[in-house]
Amino acid sequence: MRQSKLFLNTMRENPADAEIASHQLMVRAGLIRQLTAGVYTFLPLGYRVLTKIEAIVESEMDAIGAQEVLLPAVQPEELWVQSGRSETYGPDMFRLADRHDRRMVLGPTHEEVVTSLINNEVNSYRQLPLTLYQIQTKFRDEVRPRGGLLRVREFRMKDAYSFHTSLESLDETYRDMHDAYCKIFERLGILYRAVEADSGAIGGTGGSHEFMVLSDAGEDTVAGCTHCDYSANLEKAVATPLAKADATNTPRATVVPTPGTKTIADLCQVLSVPASSIIKVVVYMADGQAVGVCLRGDHEVNEAKLKAVLDVTNLRLASADEVLARAGKRVGFVGPNAPIRIVFDRDVMSVADGVAAMAGEDEHIIHVVPGRDFELKETVDIRNVVEGDACPRCGEALAFYNGIEVGHIFKLGTRYTDAFDTTYLDEKGESCRITMGCYGLGTSRVLAAIVEQSHDEKGIIWPLSVAPYQVHIVLVSVKDEAQVKASESLYHRLLAAGVEVLFDDRDERPGVKFNDADLIGLPVRVTVGNKIKDGQVELKDRKTGEVQVLSVEEAFGAVLGMVK
Amino acid sequence: MRQSKLFLNTMRENPADAEIASHQLMVRAGLIRQLTAGVYTFLPLGYRVLTKIEAIVESEMDAIGAQEVLLPAVQPEELWVQSGRSETYGPDMFRLADRHDRRMVLGPTHEEVVTSLINNEVNSYRQLPLTLYQIQTKFRDEVRPRGGLLRVREFRMKDAYSFHTSLESLDETYRDMHDAYCKIFERLGILYRAVEADSGAIGGTGGSHEFMVLSDAGEDTVAGCTHCDYSANLEKAVATPLAKADATNTPRATVVPTPGTKTIADLCQVLSVPASSIIKVVVYMADGQAVGVCLRGDHEVNEAKLKAVLDVTNLRLASADEVLARAGKRVGFVGPNAPIRIVFDRDVMSVADGVAAMAGEDEHIIHVVPGRDFELKETVDIRNVVEGDACPRCGEALAFYNGIEVGHIFKLGTRYTDAFDTTYLDEKGESCRITMGCYGLGTSRVLAAIVEQSHDEKGIIWPLSVAPYQVHIVLVSVKDEAQVKASESLYHRLLAAGVEVLFDDRDERPGVKFNDADLIGLPVRVTVGNKIKDGQVELKDRKTGEVQVLSVEEAFGAVLGMVK
């Protein structure tokens, strides 16, 4: 492609609304343009990368026997009412009425549509297992679109759905998908971790993994072992329980006045103790019931774990009035002996000499020993892990990473097939429920994640597998006949050899051309400049910055070696 | 692909709501399924065909230097207000409000979005000409979806937009597009005609062609010359004017009573004259003014031509009350002498001895000669052509064909760049308006058109270029070891040779398999049956029905010859 013909405007300055590198660079390098909040156009360079990402995804889906379909974007709302997700999605879904006033939604995902399809099309065990997938534009009315392509209202996604006669069959496809995702991310040249995840609103209880691209711009926190390959998102991460404290020498519990201590920090200061010595109780309203969660002052409640333990749908912090009314104390003075149901984090037992609000208002008790001074009825893992916690697999320290979620796979079980009464007839002619899995991968988000992970201060550094073009020929001066002749010849020879070449044949200053080339970030650059009078060109590796001065013939061979 | 694994349910019976062959066959052969009125899922076989069609379109667009992008489906309604098309589209567009109550539409087409993009990105003549295209799902809230994929609410389309500094440059790209479309339809193996067309609601006055697939199921009428390549849709078609009549021997005009003659047919019967002798006047309301159109009784008003002649926006037939109030006569008795503006079709002059309502109520005048008995102030081409009219190019007879519109190309001129004030700076630094063209091609409609044009009573007959698979191997009995061995071996050898094979390895009766194979309609079928004991298989050409009995080795070679 001749750059003089390419629809491309690069920009020197970062756009005002772009805070993260991928957003800045994708706009500056002319990959995308915003039409309206969270809705983007893919320009030619951006579309080429997207196409390459999606082709890699397609080839790995095909390789595990998934069959490609295209499901509709416009969907009857009644399907979402039937599954119960019309309510849970709420305003996050674009909704519309057609000209006959039938209520429709724009699909953010396709569990409902595909399950209703299977309902009509599958009736025998002989048709199972079956995996369908599609790559499609999806819609989600995000409250605050941000981060360029990371959180948008219209995006590209691969979504797959599998259908089974047994959990074993689901496990098999789930493993195939997991491995296919690993291959995809390896081919895309990105650093990622497959992390254990919570199933969240999509439902299903059979397990789930998120695929996280490690990046400071990521909105998700991943807890990963510094030694083994254990990774989980913060909602799901578990640690080895802390050692139970030896409290044999702890003095007798004693009441001390602590007026005006509203926070853990206040208390630490007044009593000169670390937060890890404090035994706090946080009060929640769980489906209308007050429930206290007792844990160490330096630990935080993990609401996903709490929700699972309590098996409730609606969970929120209790208001100050509710705390007073239900637990009989003001916020900050509810203790492990409060007259409500209390769930204890197992690591409360690591406190040897603690402080707890078990006395009156504006008082705390010091030298508290769990189990000695109060009873622990329900002891469970209910907290977020913290950095330094011991890995549940190998015992080494966990560390936190920021991650961009680019894929999520779920064992759904019968979450949707129950809602749609989706059955098959088994070998004996008996009607059985179909078991289901689903597997998402955000292809436009992957594009952003690649840029986020692979750039420097000058611009993007494309992995070869998805670079919009493989090679950038930069003709330094269009007024120098020898340079023109050599670069035109090299351009045509490389094209003939099947190499994807962007040829900067523009009448621009060399500085402009080099800056654009760095910004666009093609893997290999051949600069045809003054050295051509000695028959030489410069070959530059965008990633390493390494420059070689070679004859045109050597450069031709070296380029072929680098891109094949 | 093993058919035992393919997600495919064929049906013996036509679905109740399917009236045309392509709709029936696409559902029966398991290509598509309807989710809700006019909204379809593409199943694996259907999606494969769609993908092949779109790949052919892409390659021909790339070949003429068009650059691929992806524009958003969700668009701010204000862009459509700015172009004036929010009103003209009316309820044909899906509209929605986002969570912040901003009004959006789902794009049925992208002139507005792409023009606003160009507004921001193009400022110099050096960036022009430029052609962008995309292949995307589009939305249109049809009042009565029908005909399977022919008229739907969610469809696939290639749309391209070109931008120019001059009409000459637009003409050049328009010719390139025209030729690319011809190549596309030839590669798709379909019979089509490129017909002159009216620009309609999309606007622009610079010319337009529709690409019509000839088919009885088509909703459009194409007037085509039986001798040369002149073709136009009925709205646009013109004919050589009829010869002016020799009225030298016509008797004097005479009043005759014609009570109760409400229609042309009534009048023909009462007076025993052919409709071609009658000179009728049809009254319209044109932007609020009554206008009569005078033409022969056997001719029909062409409202597109009338609208252009009158240069009005709103045109409709006058009501009976309006006719009486404005023209002073009841419907049926308004003549060419009525006291309103009358536009005369030029072929009124072909009447030598006519009948007209130029007297009182319930009376007509016979032996009327145009020009002698009434004055023709405005004489223009205002009628639809009829079969047998003389071709405007070569004079031979025109004939009518039904066509499915699968493509439409337009010289838009400045219709949209005026609305968005889209300019560039020319060589002298002066601001000039950009000139524009647009080029649509319905890829999912093409799919239906191919099936419509290429099928028999047993099923679809795929052209090789878009067949979901090239070859169908039918293993007659999975219980016959020799058949299994031979078919498995042939399957693997053909796959290794790069042939796309569907292998019917199902445990089904031979009749079921053969019926399915005919229905699915792959170009080449290899039947591995009883003859395998003599080392022979049957090779069948789906299109010609020709069967050859060959050795496995010969069949392998013959298949390669047929598909390459």
Short mmCIF file of all heavy atoms in Angstrom, two decimals, chain B residues 293-295 300-303 305-307 309-310 343-346 380-384:
data_model
loop_
_atom_site.label_atom_id
_atom_site.label_comp_id
_atom_site.label_asym_id
_atom_site.label_seq_id
_atom_site.Cartn_x
_atom_site.Cartn_y
_atom_site.Cartn_z
N VAL B 293 -52.48 15.13 -15.41
CA VAL B 293 -51.55 14.48 -16.33
C VAL B 293 -52.38 13.85 -17.43
O VAL B 293 -53.26 13.02 -17.15
CB VAL B 293 -50.72 13.41 -15.62
CG1 VAL B 293 -49.78 12.74 -16.61
CG2 VAL B 293 -49.93 14.02 -14.46
N CYS B 294 -52.14 14.28 -18.66
CA CYS B 294 -52.93 13.79 -19.79
C CYS B 294 -52.11 12.75 -20.54
O CYS B 294 -50.98 13.03 -20.97
CB CYS B 294 -53.29 14.97 -20.69
SG CYS B 294 -54.24 14.47 -22.14
N LEU B 295 -52.68 11.56 -20.69
CA LEU B 295 -51.97 10.51 -21.43
C LEU B 295 -52.96 9.52 -22.02
O LEU B 295 -54.16 9.61 -21.75
CB LEU B 295 -50.93 9.83 -20.55
CG LEU B 295 -51.34 8.93 -19.38
CD1 LEU B 295 -50.09 8.26 -18.80
CD2 LEU B 295 -52.02 9.70 -18.28
N GLU B 300 -49.73 4.38 -18.25
CA GLU B 300 -49.80 4.71 -16.82
C GLU B 300 -48.83 5.84 -16.50
O GLU B 300 -47.75 5.92 -17.08
CB GLU B 300 -49.41 3.47 -15.97
CG GLU B 300 -50.35 2.29 -16.11
CD GLU B 300 -51.78 2.59 -15.64
OE1 GLU B 300 -51.93 3.47 -14.75
OE2 GLU B 300 -52.72 1.99 -16.18
N VAL B 301 -49.25 6.69 -15.55
CA VAL B 301 -48.37 7.78 -15.12
C VAL B 301 -47.14 7.20 -14.40
O VAL B 301 -47.27 6.31 -13.57
CB VAL B 301 -49.11 8.74 -14.16
CG1 VAL B 301 -48.16 9.85 -13.67
CG2 VAL B 301 -50.33 9.34 -14.83
N ASN B 302 -45.96 7.73 -14.72
CA ASN B 302 -44.74 7.39 -14.00
C ASN B 302 -44.49 8.51 -13.00
O ASN B 302 -44.11 9.63 -13.37
CB ASN B 302 -43.57 7.27 -15.00
CG ASN B 302 -42.27 6.93 -14.32
OD1 ASN B 302 -41.89 7.54 -13.33
ND2 ASN B 302 -41.57 5.95 -14.88
N GLU B 303 -44.74 8.20 -11.72
CA GLU B 303 -44.72 9.28 -10.73
C GLU B 303 -43.32 9.81 -10.48
O GLU B 303 -43.16 10.97 -10.10
CB GLU B 303 -45.39 8.81 -9.43
CG GLU B 303 -46.88 8.52 -9.66
CD GLU B 303 -47.66 8.19 -8.39
OE1 GLU B 303 -47.04 8.13 -7.31
OE2 GLU B 303 -48.89 8.00 -8.50
N LYS B 305 -41.03 10.24 -12.80
CA LYS B 305 -40.82 11.23 -13.87
C LYS B 305 -41.64 12.49 -13.59
O LYS B 305 -41.16 13.61 -13.77
CB LYS B 305 -41.22 10.64 -15.23
CG LYS B 305 -40.32 9.51 -15.71
CD LYS B 305 -40.80 8.96 -17.07
CE LYS B 305 -39.95 7.77 -17.52
NZ LYS B 305 -40.46 7.18 -18.77
N LEU B 306 -42.89 12.31 -13.16
CA LEU B 306 -43.77 13.45 -12.89
C LEU B 306 -43.18 14.34 -11.80
O LEU B 306 -43.16 15.57 -11.92
CB LEU B 306 -45.16 12.95 -12.48
CG LEU B 306 -46.19 14.04 -12.15
CD1 LEU B 306 -46.42 14.98 -13.33
CD2 LEU B 306 -47.52 13.40 -11.71
N LYS B 307 -42.66 13.68 -10.72
CA LYS B 307 -42.08 14.42 -9.61
C LYS B 307 -40.90 15.26 -10.10
O LYS B 307 -40.72 16.40 -9.69
CB LYS B 307 -41.60 13.41 -8.57
CG LYS B 307 -41.89 13.80 -7.16
CD LYS B 307 -41.71 12.59 -6.24
CE LYS B 307 -41.52 13.05 -4.81
NZ LYS B 307 -41.43 11.93 -3.89
N VAL B 309 -40.38 16.33 -13.22
CA VAL B 309 -40.87 17.39 -14.11
C VAL B 309 -41.43 18.56 -13.29
O VAL B 309 -41.17 19.73 -13.56
CB VAL B 309 -41.96 16.84 -15.07
CG1 VAL B 309 -42.76 17.98 -15.69
CG2 VAL B 309 -41.32 15.96 -16.12
N LEU B 310 -42.23 18.23 -12.27
CA LEU B 310 -42.88 19.27 -11.47
C LEU B 310 -41.92 19.86 -10.44
O LEU B 310 -42.19 20.94 -9.90
CB LEU B 310 -44.12 18.70 -10.78
CG LEU B 310 -45.24 18.15 -11.68
CD1 LEU B 310 -46.38 17.60 -10.82
CD2 LEU B 310 -45.77 19.24 -12.63
N VAL B 343 -50.18 18.60 -17.65
CA VAL B 343 -48.91 18.16 -18.25
C VAL B 343 -49.26 17.04 -19.22
O VAL B 343 -49.93 16.08 -18.84
CB VAL B 343 -47.93 17.66 -17.17
CG1 VAL B 343 -46.63 17.19 -17.80
CG2 VAL B 343 -47.66 18.75 -16.14
N PHE B 344 -48.81 17.16 -20.49
CA PHE B 344 -49.17 16.17 -21.51
C PHE B 344 -48.03 15.21 -21.78
O PHE B 344 -46.89 15.61 -21.98
CB PHE B 344 -49.52 16.89 -22.83
CG PHE B 344 -50.77 17.71 -22.73
CD1 PHE B 344 -50.71 19.02 -22.26
CD2 PHE B 344 -52.00 17.17 -23.08
CE1 PHE B 344 -51.88 19.78 -22.16
CE2 PHE B 344 -53.16 17.91 -22.97
CZ PHE B 344 -53.11 19.22 -22.51
N ASP B 345 -48.36 13.91 -21.75
CA ASP B 345 -47.38 12.94 -22.19
C ASP B 345 -47.19 13.10 -23.70
O ASP B 345 -48.16 13.29 -24.44
CB ASP B 345 -47.86 11.51 -21.86
CG ASP B 345 -46.82 10.50 -22.28
OD1 ASP B 345 -45.72 10.51 -21.69
OD2 ASP B 345 -47.11 9.71 -23.21
N ARG B 346 -45.94 13.00 -24.13
CA ARG B 346 -45.65 13.27 -25.55
C ARG B 346 -46.36 12.28 -26.47
O ARG B 346 -46.66 12.59 -27.62
CB ARG B 346 -44.15 13.25 -25.80
CG ARG B 346 -43.52 11.91 -25.45
CD ARG B 346 -42.02 11.95 -25.46
NE ARG B 346 -41.54 10.58 -25.20
CZ ARG B 346 -40.28 10.25 -25.05
NH1 ARG B 346 -39.34 11.16 -25.15
NH2 ARG B 346 -39.94 9.01 -24.83
N VAL B 380 -44.17 16.24 -22.39
CA VAL B 380 -42.96 15.58 -21.83
C VAL B 380 -43.17 14.07 -21.79
O VAL B 380 -44.27 13.57 -22.07
CB VAL B 380 -42.68 16.07 -20.39
CG1 VAL B 380 -42.17 17.51 -20.39
CG2 VAL B 380 -43.93 15.95 -19.54
N ASP B 381 -42.10 13.35 -21.44
CA ASP B 381 -42.21 11.89 -21.22
C ASP B 381 -42.62 11.69 -19.78
O ASP B 381 -41.85 11.96 -18.86
CB ASP B 381 -40.84 11.23 -21.49
CG ASP B 381 -40.85 9.76 -21.09
OD1 ASP B 381 -41.95 9.18 -20.97
OD2 ASP B 381 -39.76 9.20 -20.90
N ILE B 382 -43.82 11.24 -19.57
CA ILE B 382 -44.37 11.20 -18.21
C ILE B 382 -44.97 9.84 -17.89
O ILE B 382 -45.53 9.62 -16.83
CB ILE B 382 -45.42 12.33 -18.06
CG1 ILE B 382 -45.53 12.79 -16.62
CG2 ILE B 382 -46.78 11.91 -18.58
CD1 ILE B 382 -44.45 13.76 -16.29
N ARG B 383 -44.82 8.87 -18.81
CA ARG B 383 -45.49 7.58 -18.60
C ARG B 383 -44.48 6.45 -18.38
O ARG B 383 -43.31 6.58 -18.72
CB ARG B 383 -46.37 7.25 -19.82
CG ARG B 383 -45.57 6.90 -21.08
CD ARG B 383 -46.52 6.36 -22.15
NE ARG B 383 -45.86 6.14 -23.42
CZ ARG B 383 -45.33 4.96 -23.80
NH1 ARG B 383 -45.34 3.93 -22.99
NH2 ARG B 383 -44.78 4.84 -25.01
N ASN B 384 -44.99 5.36 -17.80
CA ASN B 384 -44.22 4.12 -17.75
C ASN B 384 -44.12 3.54 -19.15
O ASN B 384 -45.09 3.59 -19.91
CB ASN B 384 -44.93 3.07 -16.87
CG ASN B 384 -44.81 3.38 -15.40
OD1 ASN B 384 -43.87 4.03 -14.97
ND2 ASN B 384 -45.78 2.91 -14.63
#
